[in-house]
Amino acid sequence: MELVGEEKKIQALFSELRLADEQAAPSFLGVWSRAQLRPRARVSPLNFPLAAAAFAVFVAVIALALWSNSRPQTPQPNHTVAVTPAKPPGSTTGDEPLKVLPTKEQPRVSRNARTARFAARQKAELLAARRAEIRDATAISSWQSPTATLLSSQNDALLNSLPQLNESVKDLKSFLPNK
């Protein structure tokens, strides 16, 4: 293939650029040999004591979280003491000791009652979830496309029906395009 005048000029310009780039750029062999002679910087592995300490802290935090969630939350009994004098307030002697009346402590919730409450709460949550699923299914089943009205026409009955074979030829021609 012969080169025309403009193409020869362009080829000469590109060859000049290539020679200039070769002179400015270092040779590959020189760069490669310098890279081989340079000592490699050793990447130290992860500091093992630091990693072990971080893992231990992580395990401790997870164990504390699990332990605090698994403890039963029982209210602390109220230990207020009612102090009343042994004799009616009309007595004149002040040497008499005060009588300490025990207060009624809050009853502890039994394990069975706690289990029953937990089961009732789970059942209520399950029923609420089922109601939500039924509501969503109803909404999905009654959904209609907003563009459905654009696809309907006055002749839908004609387009969706098939001609009967016992109809007359004139009626059947209504289904054929006009020629």
Side-chain angles (χ1 to χ4, degrees):
M1 202 171 155
E2 278 186 49
L3 299 176
V4 186
E6 283 289 319
E7 292 175 356
K8 286 182 182 179
K9 191 186 284 186
I10 292 172
Q11 187 178 21
L13 289 173
F14 274 114
S15 64
E16 288 176 19
L17 281 174
R18 187 183 62 212
L19 287 174
D21 283 343
E22 286 176 359
Q23 291 172 358
S27 69
F28 176 76
L29 291 175
V31 173
W32 181 256
S33 62
R34 282 192 305 257
Q36 292 294 325
L37 293 176
R38 190 180 314 163
R40 290 185 182 176
R42 182 178 172 140
V43 178
S44 63
L46 184 64
N47 191 359
F48 183 73
L50 178 65
F55 182 72
V57 168
F58 176 74
V59 168
V61 167
I62 296 298
L64 181 65
L66 292 175
W67 177 74
S68 66
N69 285 340
S70 67
R71 281 188 348 179
Q73 299 294 331
T74 57
Q76 295 295 327
N78 190 4
H79 288 292
T80 58
V81 177
V83 179
T84 61
K87 292 205 174 200
S91 89
T92 56
T93 60
D95 299 341
E96 298 164 5
L98 297 177
K99 182 177 171 185
V100 176
L101 299 174
T103 61
K104 184 177 181 182
E105 292 186 4
Q106 295 178 353
R108 292 189 122 190
V109 179
S110 69
R111 185 176 293 247
N112 291 339
R114 196 175 328 130
T115 305
R117 271 189 283 148
F118 180 71
R121 187 180 314 125
Q122 278 186 332
K123 188 175 181 181
E125 289 173 358
L126 182 63
L127 287 174
R130 285 185 182 163
R131 284 188 198 117
E133 288 174 359
I134 290 171
R135 186 174 46 248
D136 293 344
T138 304
I140 289 172
S141 66
S142 64
W143 180 82
Q144 289 184 350
S145 170
T147 59
T149 57
L150 299 175
L151 298 175
S152 64
S153 72
Q154 297 172 351
N155 297 327
D156 278 346
L158 181 65
L159 295 173
N160 292 333
S161 66
L162 294 174
Q164 299 294 326
L165 294 178
N166 59 3
E167 291 183 18
S168 69
V169 174
K170 289 182 181 179
D171 293 337
L172 288 176
K173 284 184 180 178
S174 67
F175 289 99
L176 299 174
N178 294 334
K179 292 183 181 180

